[in-house]
Amino acid sequence: MSSHTSAEDCLGWAATDSSGFLSPYKFSRRVLGDYDVSITITHCGICYADVIWTRNKHADSKYPLVPGHEIAGIVKNVGSSVHRFKVGDHVGVGTYVNSCRQCEYCEDGQEVSCTSGSIYTFNAIDVDGTITKGGYSNYIVVHERYCYRIPDNYPLASAAPLLCAGITVYAPMIRHKMNQPGKSLGVIGLGGLGHMAVKFGKAFGLNVTVFSTSISKKEHALRLLKADKFVISSDKEQMEALSKSLDFIIDTASGDHPFDPYMSTLKIGGVMVLVGFPSEVKFSPASLNLGLRTISGSITGGTKVTQEMIDFCAANGIYPNIEVIPIQYSNEAIERVIKNDVQYRFVIDIQGSLK
């Protein structure tokens, strides 16, 4: 099947310099290949990655830059060799859109760890030499391998944040067996990632403690998200009361913070997983060695576990807490993300506002 033929048939919003300011931008997507899926984007979540690359925080931004890697939409066309999807299917696209497909990780469905490096959904150089452009746009063309089926009864707006925020906490929780009912989980930070870790923890039957520096999040943590306990991490007495009580911790905080106080709350042999990116990680070797503890890192997840997570959410009625906005509000929304002023994920209504 042929795809779109006009030179600039995709409408998006892009940053054109390190100010990160987003404005309308027309560009062309690649022609539909035999194994490609063309997707009408209905919704796109706003992730902190959008802040990092629109504002050139890593000094590698390729402008004009169209951000967005929490993509949900509807299949509008498929290549001649595509068998997994058909026109009208609800699908998602996450943080990467390509990989080598030959290394041991790709063969095991862990494309996110591709030895050649997975190709990110935006601001990356694709195999054809073009720069990938993300979900702040009205459609995208992606190889079927990197698309996920979203059950028809699961809202597309809710599905979008699963593709980064959701899978970033779900994948390490599964890897480290944080799905054993009756065990105890600590969640550091209650943002887009942290609130999903709480939801998954409760769905897995865990006893969940939320760590935060902000007392204002207590009611939300306990009443809205149904956490079992809320602890102000700067309160030494509260922290000491938890000594050696937790089986697992998932640390979603990207701001710099001490590690020893949290590690002291882990039981002997406990596991702490870091999914945030503070500027450094410092802890006493005694925190690790004397407690026989493990500290582990993680990013998002491969295609296999991502599809499993989407299906798990649909089967168990797990939905991110979202604030749906028009794309015209995206600059203000990104400013609010920087200030941590969102409960808990902005989702752009692409189909309803990008005209």
Side-chain angles (χ1 to χ4, degrees):
M1 298 182 189
S2 64
S3 184
H4 314 268
T5 53
S6 65
E8 293 184 341
D9 64 337
C10 191
L11 177 60
W13 276 48
T16 56
D17 56 43
S18 60
S19 72
F21 185 80
L22 296 160
S23 56
Y25 168 63
K26 288 184 178 178
F27 62 101
S28 56
R29 293 284 188 190
R30 73 164 185 260
V31 171
L32 191 76
D34 289 347
Y35 293 92
D36 286 338
V37 178
S38 179
I39 302 161
T40 296
I41 298 173
T42 62
H43 297 87
C44 184
I46 296 182
C47 174
Y48 200 81
D50 303 346
V51 177
I52 291 171
W53 277 283
T54 56
R55 302 190 178 202
N56 201 24
K57 300 290 188 183
H58 289 176
D60 64 349
S61 297
K62 303 167 182 64
Y63 298 108
L65 188 150
V66 179
H69 63 199
E70 294 183 338
I71 299 167
I74 301 168
V75 175
K76 68 173 176 176
N77 209 345
V78 296
S80 58
S81 298
V82 171
H83 300 296
R84 292 178 55 217
F85 302 101
K86 65 183 185 305
V87 173
D89 283 352
H90 289 188
V91 293
V93 177
T95 58
Y96 52 90
V97 292
N98 225 325
S99 64
C100 79
R101 303 177 209 156
Q102 297 173 343
C103 70
E104 60 180 306
Y105 301 103
C106 284
E107 287 191 350
D108 194 34
Q110 300 182 58
E111 297 87 349
V112 70
S113 299
C114 175
T115 54
S116 300
S118 55
I119 294 173
Y120 295 139
T121 302
F122 68 87
N123 197 55
I125 299 173
D126 209 343
V127 288
D128 61 357
T130 60
I131 306 301
T132 58
K133 292 178 168 56
Y136 291 30
S137 57
N138 55 14
Y139 85 98
I140 192 169
V141 177
V142 182
H143 188 285
E144 67 170 336
R145 177 173 181 150
Y146 310 94
C147 298
Y148 307 100
R149 183 175 302 283
I150 298 169
D152 289 342
N153 64 347
Y154 196 91
L156 288 170
S158 298
L162 299 181
L163 280 306
C164 177
I167 191 58
T168 299
V169 293
Y170 183 89
M173 290 176 83
I174 296 298
R175 188 182 317 123
H176 294 283
K177 299 180 172 57
M178 296 186 193
N179 56 350
Q180 303 172 63
K183 297 278 183 136
S184 52
L185 169 72
V187 177
I188 303 174
L190 196 61
L193 276 65
H195 97 288
M196 289 304 301
V198 174
K199 286 174 182 280
F200 288 136
K202 294 305 296 179
F204 292 145
L206 306 180
N207 186 288
V208 180
T209 296
V210 171
F211 294 101
S212 179
T213 55
S214 176
I215 190 68
S216 64
K217 295 194 174 182
K218 181 174 183 177
E219 188 183 359
H220 258 227
L222 299 177
R223 181 183 57 80
L224 188 68
L225 300 176
K226 307 293 191 241
D228 299 282
K229 194 177 295 184
F230 181 89
V231 172
I232 295 294
S233 53
S234 56
D235 186 317
K236 192 175 178 183
E237 285 186 12
Q238 288 187 43
M239 293 294 284
E240 287 177 351
L242 284 180
S243 179
K244 296 182 180 177
S245 67
L246 301 176
D247 295 291
F248 309 107
I249 292 175
I250 190 152
D251 183 354
T252 72
S254 282
D256 287 339
H257 56 284
F259 282 76
D260 289 312
Y262 295 111
M263 291 180 72
S264 71
T265 68
L266 282 172
K267 293 178 181 177
I268 302 300
V271 176
M272 179 176 187
V273 176
L274 179 68
V275 296
F277 283 85
S279 65
E280 63 177 8
V281 176
K282 289 176 70 174
F283 55 86
S284 164
S287 291
L288 201 65
N289 300 350
L290 298 182
L292 313 181
R293 297 179 180 111
T294 299
I295 186 163
S296 172
S298 191
I299 40 176
T300 56
T303 56
K304 183 180 176 186
V305 71
T306 301
Q307 186 65 61
E308 286 175 6
M309 173 210 56
I310 293 169
D311 294 342
F312 181 81
C313 288
N316 291 276
I318 299 170
Y319 306 99
N321 291 58
I322 60 175
E323 183 176 332
V324 180
I325 61 166
I327 197 161
Q328 293 77 11
Y329 186 73
S330 54
N331 286 301
E332 291 87 344
I334 282 179
E335 290 293 340
R336 284 178 57 190
V337 167
I338 293 168
K339 296 172 185 170
N340 199 22
D341 176 27
V342 53
Q343 291 175 335
Y344 285 94
R345 206 64 157 184
F346 285 117
V347 174
I348 303 170
D349 177 5
I350 298 289
Q351 193 172 43
S353 63
L354 181 56
K355 307 292 185 185

